[in-house]
C-alpha cells in the first residue's frame, strides 16, 4: 500500500488477519504516521491488541503510550446522532481526525477499521457500497490511508464482492498469499513469491508462458509491480520459461526495484525474450 490508498480486505482466518493488521500498523508507525484502529466492541481489549502487535519489541506499546497509536470501537468513535447512521457525519468524523493528526505533527493518518458497525446500524448492502464510494475525497491529498476490513463470516458474499470492487485497492488476506489475474495484455501477479506460494506462482507462469514448440513468437505483458518479494527459485522459473520461448518472443515484466534486483542478479539480461520495466515507487 501507498499513502493515500483506500483499500479493503476480506478475511476468514483470524491469525492471518492480525498478521496483516500488525504489519500495516507497524509500517505506519515507522513512517511517522498516526495510526487509528477502529475495532469491533467484541474484539480483543486494548491491552491484548497492543501486546499482540508489539511482539515484545516495545515500539507499538510506546506508540500507544505517546498517542501515535489510537485504539477505539466503532460505536464510540462514530457517535451516531440519535443512534442512527448519517453518511455526512461519518465523513466529517474522519475529516476531524485527519486534521487532528496534522495538528499533532504526524506525517499522515493511517486507519484500519472493522466494518461490523454497518451490521449494528442495519445498513443494507447497497447503503454500505454507497458509503464506501462516497468518501474518496478524504484520500485526495495522500495524507489519509485506510483499510476497511470485512469478516466474510458476517457479511454476504454479494457485499464482500461489491466492497472489493468499489475500493481502488484490495489487500490480500494473508502476508504469504499471491493473487493471479488475467489481463487483456497478459497477466498480473501480486503478493509474495516465496516458499508458501511457490507452487501457485510457478503454475501461473507455466499456464501463461509455456507454448508448444510449433507455435511462433508471441508477446506477453507480466505485471509484477505489486509483488513485494520474489525468492530465487521463483525468479529462476520465470527466467527459464521465458528463455525457452521461440526466438522473437517477448515477455515484458513490469516490477519494482527489489524484484528487479533479484532478476538481474540471476542473469535476466542474458535472456533476449525478457524485458524489464522498472517502476520507482518513491
Amino acid at each position: 500500500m501507498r499513502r493515500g490508498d483506500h483499500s479493503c480486505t476480506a478475511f476468514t482466518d483470524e491469525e492471518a488477519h492480525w498478521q496483516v493488521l500488525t504489519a500495516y500498523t507497524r509500517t505506519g508507525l515507522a513512517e511517522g504516521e498516526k495510526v487509528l484502529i477502529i475495532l469491533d466492541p467484541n474484539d480483543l481489549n486494548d491491552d491484548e491488541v497492543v501486546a499482540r502487535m508489539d511482539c515484545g519489541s516495545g515500539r507499538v506499546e510506546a506508540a500507544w503510550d505517546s498517542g501515535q497509536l489510537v485504539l477505539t470501537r466503532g460505536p464510540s468513535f462514530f457517535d451516531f446522532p440519535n443512534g442512527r447512521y448519517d453518511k455526512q457525519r461519518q465523513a466529517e468524523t474522519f475529516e476531524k481526525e485527519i486534521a487532528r493528526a496534522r495538528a499533532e505533527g504526524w506525517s499522515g493518518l493511517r486507519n484500519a477499521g472493522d466494518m461490523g458497525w454497518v451490521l449494528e446500524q442495519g445498513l443494507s448492502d447497497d447503503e454500505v457500497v454507497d458509503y464506501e464510494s462516497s468518501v474518496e475525497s478524504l484520500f485526495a491529498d495522500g495524507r489519509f490511508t485506510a483499510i476497511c476490513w470485512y469478516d466474510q463470516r458476517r457479511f454476504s458474499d454479494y457485499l464482500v464482492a461489491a466492497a472489493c470492487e468499489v475500493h481502488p485497492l484490495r489487500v490480500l488476506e494473508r502476508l504469504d498469499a499471491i493473487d493471479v489475474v488475467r489481463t487483456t495484455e497478459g497477466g498480473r501477479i501480486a503478493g509474495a513469491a516465496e516458499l508458501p506460494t511457490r507452487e501457485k506462482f510457478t503454475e501461473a507462469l507455466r499456464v501463461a508462458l509455456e507454448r508448444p514448440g510449433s507455435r511462433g513468437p508471441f508477446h506477453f505483458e507480466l505485471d509484477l509491480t505489486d509483488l513485494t518479494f520474489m525468492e530465487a527459485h521463483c525468479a529462476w522459473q520465470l527466467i527459464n520459461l521465458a528463455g525457452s520461448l521461440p526466438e522473437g518472443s517477448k515477455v515484458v515484466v513490469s516490477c519494482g526495484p527489489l524484484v528487479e534486483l533479484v532478476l538481474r542478479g540471476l542473469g535476466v539480461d542474458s535472456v533476449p525474450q525478457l524485458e524489464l520495466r522498472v517502476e520507482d515507487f518513491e
Side-chain angles (χ1 to χ4, degrees):
M1 290 186 65
R2 307 177 196 177
R3 290 192 180 187
D5 280 337
H6 180 205
S7 67
C8 76
T9 184
F11 72 95
T12 56
D13 185 326
E14 285 284 348
E15 185 60 34
H17 167 61
W18 278 103
Q19 289 175 3
V20 171
L21 183 59
T22 297
Y24 174 75
T25 298
R26 294 178 68 157
T27 298
L29 296 176
E31 293 186 355
E33 296 173 296
K34 184 175 183 179
V35 179
L36 169 67
I37 301 178
I38 304 171
L39 298 158
D40 186 86
N42 299 316
D43 217 323
L44 304 176
N45 65 44
D46 290 357
D47 288 328
E48 291 171 329
V49 171
V50 171
R52 183 156 195 164
M53 294 195 297
D54 189 80
C55 303
S57 69
R59 296 187 182 93
V60 176
E61 185 175 348
W64 189 37
D65 290 339
S66 71
Q68 185 183 7
L69 171 65
V70 176
L71 305 177
T72 185
R73 311 286 155 162
S76 59
F77 174 74
F78 292 119
D79 187 24
F80 299 108
N82 302 317
R84 293 297 300 163
Y85 161 76
D86 183 287
K87 183 169 68 173
Q88 182 60 35
R89 181 156 177 160
Q90 298 286 97
E92 291 174 353
T93 299
F94 279 114
E95 287 172 354
K96 291 176 182 177
E97 291 300 326
I98 295 168
R100 180 179 290 124
R102 290 179 176 178
E104 292 172 353
W106 303 111
S107 62
L109 178 65
R110 177 174 290 228
N111 167 245
D114 188 313
M115 292 300 293
W117 63 267
V118 305
L119 300 175
E120 297 168 6
Q121 287 293 302
L123 272 65
S124 69
D125 290 353
D126 289 339
E127 284 178 312
V128 177
V129 174
D130 175 66
Y131 163 72
E132 292 282 28
S133 61
S134 71
V135 296
E136 286 305 316
S137 61
L138 296 172
F139 302 87
D141 65 358
R143 297 293 294 273
F144 183 47
T145 306
I147 296 179
C148 304
W149 80 69
Y150 290 82
D151 186 336
Q152 294 186 79
R153 298 163 296 186
R154 302 180 65 190
F155 293 95
S156 69
D157 291 342
Y158 166 79
L159 178 55
V160 170
C164 290
E165 183 67 27
V166 77
H167 283 80
L169 189 71
R170 180 170 68 88
V171 175
L172 297 181
E173 180 180 0
R174 308 180 61 88
L175 293 178
D176 59 355
I178 62 167
D179 186 45
V180 180
V181 178
R182 294 286 299 183
T183 66
T184 55
E185 298 83 11
R188 169 184 171 274
I189 304 178
E194 52 189 333
L195 183 59
T197 58
R198 178 186 293 175
E199 184 176 351
K200 185 176 181 180
F201 181 84
T202 55
E203 178 60 22
L205 290 180
R206 290 192 186 98
V207 170
L209 301 180
E210 278 191 341
R211 293 292 186 274
S214 59
R215 295 195 179 184
F218 84 113
H219 184 91
F220 191 88
E221 300 272 345
L222 181 59
D223 183 356
L224 300 182
T225 53
D226 289 323
L227 196 69
T228 59
F229 177 78
M230 176 184 278
E231 63 165 12
H233 177 87
C234 292
W236 269 119
Q237 290 292 326
L238 172 57
I239 292 171
N240 289 338
L241 282 169
S244 67
L245 294 173
E247 185 179 348
S249 296
K250 185 67 68 176
V251 178
V252 180
V253 178
S254 299
C255 64
L258 290 179
V259 172
E260 177 203 17
L261 184 65
V262 175
L263 290 171
R264 293 208 190 279
L266 292 175
V268 69
D269 294 323
S270 65
V271 180
Q273 296 95 325
L274 267 175
E275 175 186 334
L276 294 188
R277 291 179 183 171
V278 183
E279 291 194 12
D280 187 351
F281 300 131
E282 295 298 326

